[in-house]
Every structure is written in C-alpha cells, then in structure tokens.
C-alpha cells in the first residue's frame, strides 16, 4: 500500500467523484491525494474529547487527523511542507509514503469517517 501512496499527482477527475463516497482507493492508497487536495478544508468533526463530552469542532482535515493520530498514539501530527505531506512521529519528520503500518492503516479509516460525516451534514 505504501508504494501506491506515491501516486498523489493524479487529476481530480481520476481520483474523486465529488459526491459521496469520495474515493480513497480500494486500500486507502489515495489518501495522500485527497489530503493534498482537501487537507486545508475546514470541516466539523468530533475530536478525541468527544469521548468525554465535547461535541464537535471546526478544523481542517489535517488538524482533525493530527488530534486523532496523537490520541491513538501512532503519530504526533500530520502536515504539509513544501508541497509534501509529512507525519511527525517521536520528533521524526517522515514523508507520508514512508510511515509505518499503523498510520497507513488508520489514516484512511479516519478520513472515511470524516468524509462521511461531512457529506451527511451537507445534505
């Protein structure tokens, strides 16, 4: 799967349907492409504090993902720098395609939840 994340410069029409479900690939391999296109978009989604009573929060996909990846304990945050997507783990800055199995498996799951929640609110 990690090799497939390198295919992040596909045309939007080839990646997304622009209606639910947004395609992240069969195995989440297009998650990087989705984040490269929509990562700075603000959405309303539950934060990890939702589990203790906070409702939802408006943040970018990157901010929500950073909160959840940190809460789960697989990464400190996820961000863009110089046109690339990076994940910070234990003070190490790794390109998205070079992260371990934990991040590469949980990232598409979190994104799927965020996309589904966001598109349901748009209806």
């Amino acid at each position: 799967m990690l090799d497939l994340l390198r295919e992040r410069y596909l045309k939007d029409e080839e990646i997304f349907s622009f209606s639910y479900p947004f395609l992240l690939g069969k195995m989440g391999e297009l998650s990087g492409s989705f984040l490269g296109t929509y990562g700075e978009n603000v959405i309303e989604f539950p934060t990890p504090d939702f589990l203790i009573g906070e409702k939802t929060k408006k943040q970018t996909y990157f901010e929500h993902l950073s909160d959840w990846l940190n809460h789960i304990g697989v990464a400190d945050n996820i961000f863009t720098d110089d046109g690339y997507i990076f994940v910070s783990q234990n003070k190490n800055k790794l390109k998205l395609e070079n992260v371990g199995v934990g991040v590469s498996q949980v990232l598409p799951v979190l994104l799927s939840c965020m996309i589904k929640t966001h598109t349901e609110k748009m209806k």
Side-chain angles (χ1 to χ4, degrees):
M1 180 181 130
L2 294 177
D3 289 337
L4 298 174
L5 285 173
R6 295 179 188 169
E7 300 293 326
R8 72 180 273 249
Y9 296 107
L10 299 172
K11 293 180 184 176
D12 287 345
E13 305 85 52
E14 296 172 336
I15 301 171
F16 309 116
S17 66
F18 293 101
S19 62
Y20 184 77
F22 287 83
L23 300 177
L24 296 175
K26 290 181 181 178
M27 298 177 1
E29 70 273 11
L30 298 175
S31 296
S33 292
F34 179 87
L35 285 173
T37 305
Y38 298 105
E40 297 297 336
N41 287 13
V42 175
I43 62 165
E44 189 171 342
F45 189 74
T47 66
D49 293 333
F50 179 80
L51 302 173
I52 58 170
E54 186 176 311
K55 302 247 181 219
T56 59
K57 191 173 190 178
K58 289 186 179 184
Q59 299 185 120
T60 66
Y61 280 100
F62 282 115
E63 291 168 329
H64 279 297
L65 286 170
S66 292
D67 287 348
W68 279 101
L69 292 173
N70 187 283
H71 179 76
I72 293 168
V74 295
D76 301 320
N77 64 359
I78 184 168
F79 57 95
T80 58
D81 186 19
D82 202 24
Y84 294 96
I85 299 171
F86 290 94
V87 174
S88 173
Q89 293 176 313
N90 302 317
K91 300 183 182 180
N92 295 313
K93 181 178 167 182
L94 305 167
K95 283 187 177 178
L96 182 59
E97 61 265 15
N98 296 327
V99 298
V101 175
V103 174
S104 65
Q105 288 183 341
V106 76
L107 184 65
V109 174
L110 288 169
L111 274 176
S112 295
C113 294
M114 290 176 190
I115 293 166
K116 177 128 174 83
T117 302
H118 179 68
T119 55
E120 284 178 351
K121 288 184 180 197
M122 292 172 47
K123 291 179 182 180

